[in-house]
Amino acid sequence: MSQSHLIPFTEMAKLLAHHGLSVTIVVTPVNALRYNKLIDYAKNLNLNIKFLSLRFPCPEVGLPDGCENLDSLPSPDLTPKFFKASNMVQKPLEKWLGELESESLPDCIVSDVCFPWTSDVALHFKIPRIVFQTVSCFTLACSHSIDCHRIIESITSPKPFLVPDMPDKIEFTEAQLPITRSATSDYMRDCMKKFKEAELSADGVLVNSFEELESRYVKEYQKTMKNTWCIGPLFLANSINSEKYSKAPVDEHKCLKWLDSRISSSVLYVCFGSLSSIQPQQLMEIGLGLEASNCSFIWAIRKDHLTYQLEKWLEEEKFEERIQGRGLIVQGWAPQVSILSHPSVGGFLTHCGWNSTLEGISAGKPMITWPMFAEQFFNEKLIVQVLNIGVRIGVEVSMQWVAERKIETLVQREEIKKAIGKLMIDGEEEAEERRKRAKELGELSNKAVEGGSSDLNVQLFIQHIKQMQISLSS
């Protein structure tokens, strides 16, 4: 559906192939082109990974050609059409499966939660179906409780509500939820309902997380889905084998060379992911907040955020000249994993996407949280309240809420400066404890994928599918 799903899916394909499995990734032509390096990776390491490329029906639903990923949509308003097109991939997949000999059918379908129709495909061909979740068990447990107790329907005020039956006191407002009554169409609400039904009817769930990170919430979610296996962080599990096949653009050398000249743990890395929408005025305020903090920083700005208005401001204000020697702006893609793992980086200002959150945790870095949409407010609660490795920037509402009210600047420079000071200050006891805890979690994440809990869970998952196949054939 998006980079945030495709990246962990391809990482999971590598991991399963490294365990000796034959993996076919069902994908669309544009996304196959984006990830064709995966096939080279597989060939070089003698792994059995291939693509099954199925046409994505853009014209049939009124989408421009090539809109096969959420980041390629000209407008968020086209999202319902995108989901309709996704549903239409079912018939071509069934046709392909129907042409296979019975002994060549897959032993298992691992599907994105956004494709509920895979449940019908799995039932028709009598194939076990596993849902792959690209979010945390904390998010899954909280979401399930909110759904079961019909919280959204019962909200009567903008005040925070308590999520029932959680190990910690977790509160949200409606404006922080991925799905709200006012901002979601009937079609999308119906989609979400189908996603949930397909999840609950699956034979099991794979999660891109690790047990030591959120053990109480893994157990909580297992009350809903008994067969839940945490197998992440997936990028970390493949990092050693992937290294020589993921050469980064020129910016990587520039970033790392610049970081080499910095003092240990002195640099703040700032990045807001591949889908977050930020107004130019807010980006200017971010720049001014970074400048006012007197902290060294690397700021990654997406190409589509470099509007005429922002570029004019950067030039007229001579912003890059003013921060020279202390700050570095990366325009476009940034080598995030390499930056976060550099010893000079001491903190991460993030939009709280789950992939970015896991990368920050695995690098052992404390975070400043600026959630924007989807489940990012859930991730903020996990980072700040449950794990105690983060500082809130202070955002209380989603970017969709902000866009509807045409608010240009949600967070002021003084708030940004204050959060940076709180995270990066030396000698302050609370900040030191935060850093210590982040470092410990980073070490635990590495242990999980190197013979630890996540490695064991992959083996348990494979064994489970083998047992299911025996049962189906008897």
Side-chain angles (χ1 to χ4, degrees):
M1 308 303 295
S2 67
Q3 298 303 88
S4 60
H5 289 228
L6 280 162
I7 291 170
F9 254 96
T10 53
E11 292 293 343
M12 178 178 59
K14 292 180 196 175
L15 183 61
L16 295 177
H18 276 297
H19 277 78
L21 303 185
S22 172
V23 182
T24 300
I25 303 176
V26 182
V27 72
T28 63
V30 169
N31 289 313
L33 281 173
R34 284 188 179 193
Y35 288 88
N36 59 9
K37 286 184 180 178
L38 177 62
I39 302 303
D40 295 332
Y41 171 94
K43 285 178 181 175
N44 278 292
L45 294 176
N46 294 316
L47 300 178
N48 198 340
I49 301 175
K50 61 184 178 182
F51 283 152
L52 169 63
S53 183
L54 299 179
R55 177 181 168 272
F56 197 67
C58 292
E60 288 89 329
V61 298
L63 285 176
D65 279 335
C67 287
E68 300 176 17
N69 193 302
L70 283 174
D71 66 14
S72 64
L73 294 182
S75 166
D77 296 338
L78 293 173
T79 301
K81 290 184 177 181
F82 182 80
F83 275 89
K84 286 175 183 176
S86 300
N87 292 337
M88 293 167 70
V89 177
Q90 178 178 350
K91 290 193 182 301
L93 178 61
E94 287 178 335
K95 183 175 183 294
W96 178 77
L97 288 168
E99 291 170 353
L100 295 175
E101 299 291 334
S102 58
E103 62 270 14
S104 299
L105 283 170
D107 294 310
C108 177
I109 292 175
V110 181
S111 69
D112 194 301
V113 71
C114 298
F115 302 132
W117 49 265
T118 55
S119 59
D120 296 330
V121 176
L123 283 170
H124 180 76
F125 290 95
K126 297 180 180 177
I127 304 171
R129 178 178 61 93
I130 302 294
V131 164
F132 176 52
Q133 288 285 6
T134 58
V135 298
S136 65
C137 285
F138 174 83
T139 292
L140 293 169
C142 287
S143 298
H144 184 70
S145 178
I146 290 169
D147 286 344
C148 285
H149 291 87
R150 304 181 70 85
I151 297 290
I152 295 176
E153 292 90 329
S154 64
I155 294 173
T156 57
S157 78
K159 293 180 180 179
F161 63 84
L162 181 70
V163 181
D165 307 326
M166 291 297 105
D168 299 284
K169 183 182 178 182
I170 305 297
E171 293 183 324
F172 294 103
T173 64
E174 185 182 10
Q176 295 170 337
L177 298 177
I179 297 296
T180 63
R181 291 167 297 178
S182 60
T184 308
S185 67
D186 290 339
Y187 176 79
M188 289 306 296
R189 269 192 287 272
D190 184 56
C191 280
M192 296 297 173
K193 182 182 176 184
K194 289 177 180 176
F195 296 168
K196 193 65 185 176
E197 289 170 352
E199 174 194 356
L200 295 174
S201 66
D203 297 305
V205 177
L206 292 169
V207 184
N208 187 18
S209 184
F210 60 103
E211 290 181 2
E212 292 82 357
L213 180 69
E214 45 172 351
S215 57
R216 291 176 299 155
Y217 291 93
V218 174
K219 290 173 184 173
E220 192 63 40
Y221 183 61
Q222 283 174 335
K223 294 176 184 176
T224 302
M225 295 297 294
K226 180 184 175 183
N227 295 322
T228 295
W229 301 277
C230 291
I231 60 171
L234 285 164
F235 85 94
L236 201 58
N238 293 305
S239 60
I240 297 171
N241 292 320
S242 300
E243 193 173 355
K244 59 182 176 178
Y245 301 108
S246 57
K247 297 297 181 186
V250 170
D251 270 331
E252 173 150 14
H253 175 70
K254 179 183 175 183
C255 289
L256 296 185
K257 188 175 180 181
W258 187 86
L259 283 169
D260 287 343
S261 66
R262 303 288 106 187
I263 299 168
S264 177
S265 301
S266 65
V267 179
L268 178 72
Y269 173 58
V270 183
C271 184
F272 295 98
S274 60
L275 286 175
S276 304
S277 179
I278 307 176
Q279 293 296 318
Q281 196 63 43
Q282 180 66 81
L283 289 165
M284 295 174 204
E285 203 70 15
I286 291 168
L288 292 169
L290 289 169
E291 182 182 25
S293 73
N294 289 320
C295 176
S296 296
F297 63 88
I298 290 181
W299 181 18
I301 305 178
R302 282 208 326 261
K303 289 286 188 186
D304 60 325
H305 281 164
L306 288 163
T307 60
Y308 170 76
Q309 187 180 351
L310 181 63
E311 288 190 323
K312 183 182 177 184
W313 178 81
L314 289 169
E315 184 179 346
E316 289 183 352
E317 294 293 320
K318 294 184 170 50
F319 184 76
E320 291 188 79
E321 291 178 30
R322 293 194 334 229
I323 62 168
Q324 194 169 12
R326 185 168 64 81
L328 178 67
I329 293 178
V330 179
Q331 297 187 8
W333 181 86
Q336 183 159 291
V337 173
S338 298
I339 292 171
L340 286 170
S341 60
H342 197 284
S344 292
V345 173
F348 182 18
L349 199 170
T350 175
H351 67 302
C352 302
W354 186 237
N355 288 340
S356 290
T357 298
L358 279 178
E359 287 165 6
I361 288 168
S362 299
K365 309 301 181 186
M367 290 173 254
I368 297 172
T369 58
W370 188 327
M372 297 193 176
F373 67 100
E375 89 292 353
Q376 292 166 11
F377 282 93
F378 289 77
N379 296 337
E380 178 183 61
K381 292 285 184 185
L382 179 65
I383 293 165
V384 177
Q385 186 176 334
V386 178
L387 302 177
N388 298 312
I389 58 168
V391 172
R392 296 184 70 241
I393 200 84
V395 174
E396 300 293 351
V397 295
S398 70
M399 292 305 288
Q400 188 171 10
W401 186 93
V402 170
E404 287 173 357
R405 288 153 182 79
K406 295 182 169 57
I407 298 171
E408 290 189 334
T409 306
L410 186 64
V411 182
Q412 303 301 318
R413 70 192 75 170
E414 283 301 318
E415 296 170 285
I416 297 166
K417 176 186 174 183
K418 182 180 177 183
I420 294 171
K422 193 172 180 182
L423 189 83
M424 301 293 288
I425 193 168
D426 286 324
E428 206 270 325
E429 186 178 349
E430 190 178 348
E432 292 300 326
E433 280 297 316
R434 205 179 285 118
R435 284 197 195 108
K436 181 182 175 185
R437 178 64 180 150
K439 185 180 178 183
E440 288 170 353
L441 286 172
E443 291 167 354
L444 288 172
S445 69
N446 281 270
K447 289 177 182 176
V449 298
E450 293 178 15
S453 60
S454 292
D455 191 33
L456 175 62
N457 281 334
V458 175
Q459 297 173 52
L460 290 172
F461 159 66
I462 293 170
Q463 189 59 40
H464 179 78
I465 297 302
K466 286 180 178 178
Q467 290 297 328
M468 287 195 72
Q469 284 297 329
I470 292 169
S471 299
L472 286 169
S473 60
S474 62

